[in-house]
Amino acid sequence: MHARASNRERPVMKIGIIGAGNIGGNLTRRLTALGHEVSVANSRGPETLRDLAEETGATAVPAEEAARGAEVVVVTVPVKAVPALPAGLLDGAAANVAVIDTGNYYPRERDGRIDGIEDGDLTESRWTERQIGHSVIKAFNGTYAQDILDRHRPAGDPDRQAVPVSGDDEAAKRVVRALIDELGFDTVDNGGIDDSWRQQPGTPVYGLRAGAEEVRKALAEASPERPEAFRG
């Protein structure tokens, strides 16, 4: 089992992670190592997460139970799978739960065309909000999964990477930014979810390994037109 952090400076949080792919798995590893109480779920059932649970000390649960009591919920599933998430996904979560959306729309590689995104003039995360019925904070969508394990740095380190964060709920955004700081990354506020196109696939910030100043510059250079390679 993964060693847990001791002498914490911040409160232990109850965190639900829905999706146990590369991003979800590595967030489970880091958040449990920091001492948080993590429940993790996928579409195949908790028995398929036994190894991850044993490695980290997280609790493997059905997707319907991942958000139960959670102060933060991470939705990290393929965009095409979002409509298939259980109804009432956030029932039983903390009253002010912050929901992190790490998703990216890949119409040609994985998701197929989603008319609501392409024809509805919606950002990917605004579309996700409408599917789950709750506001989201977009973060980690352009982060390499392995960097979550390998490239975290203490605050003030000159090599510390920055993560863009978008969302309309300012209280939830503060919670998420504090959690990302604890994970070892700076954050740059990219405004609301309608501005989150600046961090979608094909933009200058997507996959950028850089500090806050360069991330701000990349966000400012983004074009609102979806690149051809990311259209269905």
Side-chain angles (χ1 to χ4, degrees):
M1 184 179 292
H2 203 294
R4 298 234 175 182
S6 60
N7 300 318
R8 290 183 51 81
E9 296 179 359
R10 292 173 174 164
V12 172
M13 299 184 75
K14 186 170 177 56
I15 299 172
I17 298 180
I18 301 168
N22 293 333
I23 292 286
N26 285 351
L27 284 174
T28 299
R29 291 178 176 94
R30 286 285 293 131
L31 290 166
T32 51
L34 289 167
H36 293 293
E37 183 181 343
V38 176
S39 295
V40 60
N42 65 9
S43 61
R44 295 178 295 144
E47 64 280 357
T48 67
L49 296 172
R50 184 179 304 138
D51 289 348
L52 181 63
E54 290 179 354
E55 174 194 344
T56 63
T59 302
V61 297
E64 294 85 350
E65 299 178 14
R68 189 170 297 169
E71 299 157 84
V72 174
V73 172
V74 183
V75 177
T76 181
V77 301
V79 170
K80 67 178 180 180
V82 170
L85 290 171
L89 182 71
L90 299 171
D91 291 354
N96 297 316
V97 62
V99 180
I100 300 174
D101 170 31
T102 76
N104 293 303
Y105 173 49
Y106 301 120
R108 299 187 183 184
E109 299 173 18
R110 183 191 64 195
D111 298 312
R113 178 184 171 87
I114 296 176
D115 292 342
I117 293 175
E118 303 233 22
D119 300 335
D121 197 26
L122 299 177
T123 62
E124 296 163 15
S125 287
R126 181 68 77 195
W127 180 85
T128 293
E129 283 188 343
R130 294 186 179 184
Q131 305 307 305
I132 67 173
H134 196 281
S135 63
V136 303
I137 307 298
K138 190 176 190 72
F140 285 122
N141 71 293
T143 303
Y144 293 101
Q146 194 62 33
D147 288 356
I148 294 170
L149 298 183
D150 296 343
R151 296 177 71 94
H152 54 90
R153 299 289 187 273
D157 189 302
D159 293 326
R160 204 181 206 216
Q161 290 182 205
V163 175
V165 176
S166 303
D168 298 333
D169 184 332
E170 292 299 325
K173 191 186 289 184
R174 285 193 294 272
V175 170
V176 172
R177 294 182 73 180
L179 187 62
I180 294 172
D181 176 66
E182 188 180 355
L183 282 162
F185 299 88
D186 287 336
T187 57
V188 173
D189 191 337
N190 183 47
I193 284 298
D194 287 337
D195 299 311
S196 64
W197 56 266
R198 293 184 181 275
Q199 64 190 85
Q200 291 178 171
T203 60
V205 82
Y206 182 77
L208 180 65
R209 289 167 161 155
E213 184 175 348
E214 289 182 62
V215 166
R216 288 189 191 95
K217 182 174 182 290
L219 289 167
E221 292 173 348
S223 167
E225 185 174 351
R226 185 180 297 277
E228 178 65 29
F230 296 98
R231 296 179 194 167

